[in-house]
Amino acid sequence: MKKLYALFMALFLFIGDLACQKYDFNWPMGYIKSTWPTDSLWGISSLNFNTDDGNPTISRSYTLIAELLGTNAPISNKNGDFLFIYDGYQIKDSSGIPMPQGDALSNTQNPIFQNGLVLPMPGDETKYILIHKDYKYIAQDSAIRGYKIFYSIIQYPETGGAGVVVSKRNLVLQDTVCLGKITAVRHANGRDWWMLMKEVKTDRFYTFLIDPQGLHLSHEQHAGNPNEFDDWGPAIFSMDGSKYCAVNTNRISTNTTQVSLFDFDRCSGMLSNYKPFLLPLVTVGCGAAFSPNNRFLYLPLWKSLYQVDLQASNPDTVLIDQWDGFYDTIPGTFYISSTYGAMLNSPDGRIYSVNTNSSTHYVNLIENPNLPAPYCKPRQHAVYMPTLTGAPPNLVDFRLGPVDGSICDSLGINNVPWAWWRYEQDTSNYGTLQFTDLSRYEPTHWQWDFGDGTMSQDTSPVHRFAAPGVYVVCLIVSNAYGADTLCRTINIATVATSNPAALKLSIELYPNPFTDALTIQWDGYLPESAGAELYDATGKKVAEQRLFSGWNTLNLNSLPTGLYACRIVDKGWLLGTYKVLKM
């Protein structure tokens, strides 16, 4: 009966236009040092979330050359194909070619996070709008401030082809405003966008509307404290758009960072219920992120990570993690701490954090951000990138629908659910998988079919498969407006009982050459007891490590320089042999 219900929901309920909003599925990170353009440290590495298991893959681009030390504003199309990126001065397409009319979009290229943002143009799937700023030095403040806000329009053919800037540097505001802090949230009508910008040294907020006519000032509002800090730090909206948070360091005072938290009305664009938090440190390595369930606010401050429970009667900052002393070793005998910095919510439900004080190969993450500490599982230096990362991308929540039934729900857009999920293999039992629901647009029912005769209606179930095999796992999500289905094929340990030559397994080793750490990344197969074995030129085994699906980082700092053979095996089957060079 359950299968008949699932089939009915999948075939007969309408699937609307809100589905498949993958504008943030590619995250270019890193930057180019022009004096060393071919050095293995420098370049652009990317996280791609458009994968078979819902977990990101990591790759290095050898064609995209962009200075992403501060401003990093990429965009993909709605299907998850990377289109172009704005680096604070110019636009380049996915192959690294400067876009026609896409240069000199700012008066200078300052290393400022959130200095640009790209959004799909409301009402036109062939256009994108870039919001960007000019800056100038204010002598009386002894600081750089924003003073002009522009928008530019990029035309990108829906059927492919090159993009072009068709409308450039349209001025919408000239005033002394905060650094960075360009972010946006979906209007309650499900189509347009809101953007806020605060005037420096006052409590005035400018509220902008992005609609089919472009970016224009909607209204002004006085909210918060006119004496609050106005300096480095991000601004973000919660995943449901109900809250707005701005982080400000104060470089004049030497011991305080201020966090300003507001409620936000997606219908009117108004702020309310101001609440400040003071944190005892000043650093540009700060950030903020809301949990996907909107309960928690995370505040990374260089060596410290704080969590705020917004459902508590009197929310306050709680220290949940501190830097563990880990350094990234950079050739040339210097070391960089792998600490916290700017944060970003990802399509896989995790929160990623990049050290924005200085660049390292490592990215920190919060594994389960919907849970209170310690169950949220902060993981330092969890992801190794092939090149140094300078700044995370500035992206917003593209999968927030209308406020159904509100006075602003006037365009006939409904929250038809969109199915998306990821899975991970248990490290202690190869047949046990954790499924994490990442579906959006307010589903109310979940139906899992694991392909082995069992089903579940939990949102994020744990399931154990009794035997190796190939299983087709499907999730159907639904609500009163419709349903959506996503099926994934999962291969569990079949190599031990079949011909490994027929196994469709993608294996990548990077960086190669490497210095201290080697990452082995694979997908398409969940092993039973796989491992990596390194052999030197004499055939002696010098290192080995257990491997799991996804990315695995091997710390090989103690090995001498030289050429090595890396064998990847599972249950006695050889999956591949690769040559790697340690520098």
Side-chain angles (χ1 to χ4, degrees):
M1 187 66 183
K2 288 182 178 179
K3 287 191 174 182
L4 288 175
Y5 168 80
L7 182 62
F8 173 80
M9 295 294 289
L11 293 179
F12 294 101
L13 283 180
F14 173 71
I15 297 177
D17 291 336
L18 284 177
C20 196
Q21 306 292 321
K22 300 180 180 180
Y23 298 106
D24 59 341
F25 268 48
N26 290 279
W27 290 16
M29 293 192 288
Y31 64 102
I32 297 296
K33 192 70 173 178
S34 57
T35 53
W36 300 306
T38 60
D39 193 303
S40 62
L41 289 175
W42 314 102
I44 304 299
S45 299
S46 296
L47 291 170
N48 177 11
F49 294 89
N50 207 12
T51 59
D52 290 337
D53 61 3
N55 296 293
T57 58
I58 303 171
S59 62
R60 178 181 180 181
S61 173
Y62 291 91
T63 58
L64 180 59
I65 299 175
E67 296 284 357
L68 304 182
L69 185 58
T71 302
N72 180 352
I75 195 72
S76 302
N77 63 21
K78 68 177 183 178
N79 297 319
D81 305 314
F82 178 53
L83 294 182
F84 62 89
I85 190 167
Y86 171 66
D87 65 4
Y89 185 74
Q90 65 178 334
I91 297 174
K92 292 186 176 181
D93 67 19
S94 59
S95 61
I97 299 174
M99 185 174 291
Q101 310 302 319
D103 62 338
L105 291 170
S106 178
N107 62 338
T108 182
Q109 187 168 9
N110 287 301
I112 298 170
F113 181 53
Q114 290 190 320
N115 187 31
L117 175 67
V118 183
L119 299 171
M121 190 70 181
D124 190 339
E125 292 190 350
T126 69
K127 291 181 180 178
Y128 299 84
I129 183 169
L130 166 66
I131 307 161
H132 48 107
K133 283 185 189 177
D134 275 356
Y135 288 85
K136 67 177 180 180
Y137 180 77
I138 306 296
Q140 68 241 36
D141 292 350
S142 300
I144 297 173
R145 304 294 192 195
Y147 81 106
K148 288 183 179 180
I149 299 177
F150 305 91
Y151 75 90
S152 299
I153 303 296
I154 299 94
Q155 181 92 29
Y156 223 101
E158 191 174 7
T159 56
V164 61
V165 177
V166 296
S167 180
K168 183 174 179 178
R169 283 178 62 88
N170 299 282
L171 180 66
V172 293
L173 181 72
Q174 182 168 335
D175 192 3
T176 305
V177 295
C178 290
L179 291 168
K181 293 183 171 58
I182 299 178
T183 190
V185 68
R186 185 75 74 177
H187 190 285
N189 65 16
R191 182 195 66 185
D192 302 334
W193 300 87
W194 293 111
M195 188 195 84
L196 303 179
M197 188 57 58
K198 184 179 174 295
E199 185 181 40
V200 169
K201 295 186 175 180
T202 77
D203 62 353
R204 184 202 308 270
F205 280 87
Y206 295 105
T207 302
F208 299 89
L209 183 65
I210 302 106
D211 60 18
Q213 284 69 52
L215 173 71
H216 51 87
L217 183 64
S218 170
H219 57 270
E220 301 175 15
Q221 179 185 2
H222 292 272
N225 183 353
N227 298 314
E228 71 179 4
F229 307 150
D230 295 299
D231 220 318
W232 297 93
I236 59 168
F237 288 95
S238 60
M239 299 289 281
D240 64 356
S242 67
K243 295 189 180 298
Y244 174 79
C245 175
V247 180
N248 295 282
T249 63
N250 185 355
R251 289 180 293 171
I252 298 174
S253 171
T254 59
N255 60 358
T256 310
T257 291
Q258 179 171 302
V259 180
S260 300
L261 183 65
F262 299 86
D263 288 344
F264 183 75
D265 188 324
R266 290 172 54 205
C267 189
S268 66
M270 299 294 290
L271 296 167
S272 62
N273 298 330
Y274 167 68
K275 181 174 179 58
F277 298 93
L278 294 179
L279 297 175
L281 184 65
V282 174
T283 172
V284 298
C286 58
F290 288 94
S291 61
N293 65 359
N294 307 294
R295 175 179 174 180
F296 299 105
L297 173 63
Y298 292 93
L299 300 168
L301 218 63
W302 193 31
K303 294 183 179 181
S304 303
L305 176 63
Y306 297 87
Q307 185 188 66
V308 181
D309 187 348
L310 301 175
Q311 292 184 3
S313 56
N314 186 24
D316 201 0
T317 55
V318 177
L319 180 66
I320 63 170
D321 196 23
Q322 287 187 294
W323 178 53
D324 61 6
F326 180 86
Y327 284 93
D328 185 9
T329 304
I330 307 298
T333 65
F334 66 96
Y335 306 91
I336 299 175
S337 59
S338 178
T339 50
Y340 287 104
M343 280 187 156
L344 186 60
N345 290 87
S346 73
D348 67 9
R350 302 179 178 100
I351 295 175
Y352 291 73
S353 178
V354 175
N355 180 357
T356 40
N357 270 330
S358 56
S359 300
T360 79
H361 288 97
Y362 291 92
V363 177
N364 307 309
L365 60 82
I366 302 175
E367 189 73 38
N368 301 312
N370 284 337
L371 300 178
Y375 308 106
C376 57
K377 292 179 62 177
R379 292 177 54 200
Q380 299 182 43
H381 43 88
V383 182
Y384 184 89
M385 304 295 288
T387 57
L388 296 180
T389 59
N394 185 23
L395 295 161
V396 300
D397 183 7
F398 295 100
R399 290 171 292 280
L400 182 59
V403 180
D404 287 322
S406 71
I407 192 173
C408 293
D409 185 18
S410 58
L411 301 179
I413 300 173
N414 294 320
N415 280 297
V416 179
W418 174 71
W420 193 254
W421 51 275
R422 64 176 167 88
Y423 64 88
E424 294 173 284
Q425 187 178 29
D426 190 291
T427 57
S428 61
N429 188 312
Y430 74 94
T432 300
L433 272 61
Q434 169 69 62
F435 295 90
T436 301
D437 173 57
L438 305 167
S439 304
R440 297 300 301 276
Y441 302 116
E442 303 179 11
T444 55
H445 297 89
W446 291 259
Q447 185 73 43
W448 293 86
D449 186 335
F450 298 113
D452 61 356
T454 60
M455 305 184 79
S456 173
Q457 293 182 343
D458 293 340
T459 54
S460 296
V462 175
H463 182 71
R464 181 174 180 179
F465 294 89
V470 178
Y471 301 91
V472 177
V473 179
C474 296
L475 169 63
I476 302 172
V477 291
S478 60
N479 64 14
Y481 296 106
D484 190 29
T485 303
L486 176 63
C487 297
R488 300 187 188 277
T489 300
I490 299 178
N491 187 337
I492 302 177
T494 58
V495 68
T497 57
S498 63
N499 178 12
L503 184 65
K504 294 181 179 179
L505 178 62
S506 172
I507 300 178
E508 184 178 1
L509 288 77
Y510 64 86
N512 192 11
F514 69 96
T515 53
D516 295 306
L518 177 68
T519 293
I520 300 174
Q521 175 181 280
W522 66 10
D523 54 29
Y525 173 71
L526 299 177
E528 181 172 342
S529 57
E533 304 170 348
L534 259 70
Y535 295 84
D536 63 16
T538 68
K540 178 183 177 182
K541 184 191 293 186
V542 293
E544 61 181 338
Q545 181 171 310
R546 177 78 183 272
L547 296 179
F548 300 93
S549 180
W551 61 67
N552 305 260
T553 299
L554 286 64
N555 188 343
L556 303 173
N557 185 47
S558 61
L559 289 184
T561 59
L563 185 66
Y564 295 88
C566 179
R567 299 176 76 250
I568 299 177
V569 297
D570 185 28
K571 291 292 291 181
W573 294 88
L574 178 64
L575 303 182
T577 301
Y578 305 86
K579 293 182 179 180
V580 294
L581 177 64
K582 178 171 182 182
M583 301 290 287

